[in-house]
Amino acid sequence: MSSPKTYSSKDVEQRWYQHWLDHDYFRSVPDDREPYTICMPPPNVTGVLHMGHMLQYTAQDALMRKARLEGKNACWVPGTDHASIATEAKVVKKLRAKGIKKSDLTREEFLQEAFAWKDEYGGIILEQFKLLGAGADWSRTRFTMEPKLSAQVLKAFVKLYESGQLYRGKRMTNWDPEAQTVLSNEEVVYSDENKNLYHVRYQVEGTGEYIVVATSRPETIMADTGLAVHPDDERYTKYHGKKVIVPLVNRAVPIVTDDYVDPEFGTGALKITPAHDPNDYEVGQRHGLEVIDILNADGSLNGLAEFFVGEDREDARISAVKKLKETGDLLETKQYRTSVGRSERTDSVVEPRLTLQWFLNMEKLAATALAAVKEGEIDFHPAGMFNMYQSWLRPENVRDWCVSRQLWWGQQIPAWYHEGETYVAETAEEALAQAREKTGNPALQLSDLKQDEDVLDTWFSSALWPISVFDGMLGDTTELEYYYPSTLMVTGWDIMFFWVARMIMFGYEFSEGELGSGFVAKHGKMPFKDVFFTGMVRDEKRRKMTKSLGNSPDAMVLLERYGADGVRFGMLSSAAAGNDIIFDAPIDPETKKARNESKLCDQGRRFCNKLFNANRLLQGWTQVDRDPTEAEQIAADWLEARLSQTIEQVNVAFDDYRLSDAVMSLYKFIWGDFCSLYLEIVKPTDGEISQATYDRTIAAFEQMMTLLHSFMPFITEEIWHQLKDRSAGDDCVVSSWPKAKAYDADLLSRFEMLQTLVTGVREVRKSRNLPERDALDLYFRRSATSEALLSAPAFCTIASKLAYLNQLELAEAQPDNSLAFLVKTEAAYLILDETIDVAAEREKMEAELKRLKGFLIGIEKKLGNERFVAGAPEEVVARERKKQADTKEKIGQLEMMLG
RNA sequence: GGGCGGUUAGCUCAGUUGGUUUAGAGCAUCUCGUUUACACCGAGAGGGCCGGGGGUUCGAGUCCCUCACUGCCCACCA
């Protein structure tokens, strides 16, 4: 055989991927077949392939490929997300490197730069998905900010406004001073950090007494407009109604009493800074306190602060501490641990800030979305994820969604302002028309209106994705009627609230039709029927793999090293639905970075090699025109039975999204049963095999390729074509998912007996250091079972071949010079030349006998119990009876052996 | 503070309405093997009072209570 002994994935992968593209196999157009649709979670245009992607997109690809093999119209819609903050930050950084500030550019100029950036880098990740084998319909590739999608986003905005669910208001919001935009609550990540707690004294006006306040933010003292104590706190009762003098600024502010104050914390006295703390804002509102905002958008102090003007809040804190020390007002500094909110994108400490924003009322949307899953219109996998979903969406927890962002990269909010009036419309012209009508002034011009400067939160457009990728809001709903609702959404549970919940909200909201221009959902209003939550990919220390930790291996290097099939196997073999996967790339103790290695992926690569060599073996055989032997026939019968059994297991696993179970069933069947057992049985010594057996082998192997194709598309396609000459279009990717046939369970159990026998003989050889290939004689004690077993000559042939036996016969009693052992319930005797340590053998058998007797007592106790026999299901009782009989049989055999 | 999970072999995990030969897999470990598909392989072995305690039941890894440890979500944190 001249072909190489090892499989090389490189050219194979490239070649077949191109072949699939050339034949448009991933293309989907509506027809009369059942659709199987997944809207690909659009990766950020700033994204590069990481482990999380590999898990999620491999899972999707496996499901898509299976659906295609099952004859469904498989449609996987790809695309990218404009990722407003992330992308804008990248572009700003790039400009800065060129010495350009964002503020130097007009909005149009900036967007031009941003689109240029997107055109250059935005497609990289989709190309990487192709290397992974992802079979999406690339002709459908969409981008959340392309004109048609933006148009739909604006339409959605207008509809939500018209239905009264969108409103604009001044609220305490989360401000990212680095990106200089507001964030939604979900975009703020809290973690515990060490901070200082400063005790600062405030003089009670007109007295020499002081009230000491505990604060972590001394730099906001200049914005203090009150001091609060608990109404029942007797320490402070005498000060009720008085005022204190704020240090540094020497402003007199009222002492107020409020239940919010916890007398136990700090000194029990709280300085109130309504502009810079959400709770203080509430307290301030309740007591009519002034709001003094001393911060600029970038987090530096403004003129209202009087002190430290122009300093960043962090620097100002240091300055304030220094100054307060000088004045003697800082009494104490304590360390404590508290949670600090940071921007998910920029990691900058979030500043509470009173700003004017657009909010989406969640009341109705959340209730609908909650009911959809609760009532089973949408199924979560794993089902337990519903708990998390519910806790977020229940009315007492859900809060209105701030949808405006102070950015340029995104859909500009379609609201125009004129003389205190707001006009929301899809286009400026419509807004103008509204304004003319409202004001009764037909001379009003576009230039008289001012459009809102802000853009929409990225997730607002993402929420529309399952509808907008089919242009569902644009009038022609042909595609939508066919593909909507999509079959499945596959994504990580970490964006359940960001995205999944909101897609569900929008899905129901815009398919209701009651607003006039919503589309009519033919097959259900939900955006998808199932959600398959994948877990997080974590490192060996269970930390989430992140760029900053450097604990993630390089996905591209893994693909290079193990091949896409190997990596896919590695990702999926540990991916039960919803469970986090612990990826086994070792962390280098020196560098603390992940090595680009993985035993799981290597297992996948070795599996490829096994398949490659199994195929090589088959290719080396010469087919001859002779009748198959009985042994070949029985082996092939068994193989086909095991194949059917495996198909059943794989189908069940797929239905439950237990992809790891599916892939492992195939792995064990192909490696353990097909390669290690079946091929060894039928493998000819002279290289010649009967045509019939060959055909059956190839047919079975071919089905294995189809089954495995969803997980390992490249090597299976390669082998598919090596198995036989194929006409054009006869490709594994579009073959038929095999059907399980009824199989003979008895045959399977006879083979189990065979395997036990073979293993038993090998074990005897091992334990006595006998060469594996010296032929031995084996006898079975005559019994009904053993007689039946040996009556099939093929059985003897196979057993002899695998265990290297001279002969396999029945015996009435233990022959001389033989070693006795049990094969399931049967006594077997192996003739050995050497002398046998009778005492040691007896000891072993007696131990086993004792174990079996104990076991039997348990069974008989159960069977002797009337309540068991009466109460347990019939089959359970029958099983116990069989167990009893088998155990008795074994005990009988052992006792006979022991004499 | 409110809620949800987890705890099964050295590691990562299965164990589906309680009953499938007194617990399974993959990996790792140990022993042996230069067998012409594959040493990226083959053969064999060892390894678990199913976190502790209590209860329900004829029967519990599986249900209930309790304790311990652990992970996560939400809220709050002067």
Side-chain angles (χ1 to χ4, degrees), chain A residues 497-601:
Chain A
F497 309 140
F498 272 118
W499 196 39
V500 176
R502 288 163 179 170
M503 280 189 287
I504 296 175
M505 291 175 192
F506 278 19
Y508 280 89
E509 180 67 18
F510 296 115
S511 57
E512 279 174 340
E514 65 190 27
L515 300 168
S517 50
F519 69 90
V520 178
K522 222 172 143 185
H523 305 290
K525 294 173 180 173
M526 62 294 237
F528 28 72
K529 293 178 203 130
D530 279 13
V531 184
F532 169 22
F533 288 106
T534 57
M536 300 296 103
V537 182
R538 297 181 182 277
D539 70 6
E540 50 188 21
K541 290 178 188 148
R542 293 182 174 273
R543 298 174 303 181
K544 197 171 164 181
M545 285 187 169
T546 60
K547 215 181 200 174
S548 52
L549 278 173
N551 59 345
S552 175
D554 185 327
M556 297 303 290
V557 176
L558 291 181
L559 286 176
E560 175 80 18
R561 178 166 291 169
Y562 301 109
D565 288 331
V567 173
R568 290 168 63 113
F569 179 96
M571 298 310 300
L572 289 185
S573 60
S574 51
N579 281 9
D580 286 1
I581 79 167
I582 311 296
F583 194 76
D584 62 350
I587 304 290
D588 190 301
E590 299 263 312
T591 63
K592 309 276 185 233
K593 305 278 179 201
R595 293 210 189 108
N596 295 317
E597 293 167 16
S598 158
K599 281 185 177 155
L600 287 169
C601 296

Side-chain angles (χ1 to χ4, degrees), chain A residues 49-56 537 545 552-553 555 558 571 583:
Chain A
L49 189 69
H50 60 64
M51 302 306 292
H53 291 128
M54 295 220 282
L55 171 63
Q56 284 179 22
V537 182
M545 285 187 169
S552 175
L558 291 181
M571 298 310 300
F583 194 76

Side-chain angles (χ1 to χ4, degrees), chain A residues 90-164:
Chain A
K90 281 240 154 134
V91 175
V92 166
K93 201 174 156 194
K94 192 187 160 198
L95 288 170
R96 202 184 297 140
K98 288 198 282 186
I100 304 168
K101 281 189 291 185
K102 184 184 162 189
S103 53
D104 295 341
L105 301 180
T106 64
R107 189 176 190 124
E108 287 65 35
E109 284 166 342
F110 180 84
L111 285 177
Q112 222 165 29
E113 290 284 342
F115 273 110
W117 187 92
K118 184 255 168 188
D119 289 341
E120 189 171 352
Y121 302 105
I124 292 177
I125 190 151
L126 297 184
E127 290 307 310
Q128 293 177 324
F129 286 175
K130 291 179 187 173
L131 297 178
L132 188 62
D137 182 352
W138 301 108
S139 72
R140 290 179 174 275
T141 305
R142 306 306 293 265
F143 172 54
T144 52
M145 230 174 101
E146 69 179 66
K148 272 185 160 181
L149 269 75
S150 286
Q152 296 180 76
V153 168
L154 300 187
K155 203 160 190 163
F157 186 93
V158 172
K159 287 155 87 62
L160 288 166
Y161 179 77
E162 285 171 353
S163 66

Side-chain angles (χ1 to χ4, degrees), chain A residues 278-289:
Chain A
N279 292 307
D280 287 15
Y281 180 74
E282 298 287 322
V283 174
Q285 290 287 92
R286 282 197 285 275
H287 300 280
L289 300 179

Side-chain angles (χ1 to χ4, degrees), chain A residues 29 55 168 339 346 360 398 432 536 540 582 616 652 699 705:
Chain A
V29 287
L55 171 63
R168 198 172 185 226
S339 93
T346 65
L360 183 55
V398 74
L432 180 62
M536 300 296 103
E540 50 188 21
I582 311 296
R616 218 157 61 90
V652 167
M705 291 307 101

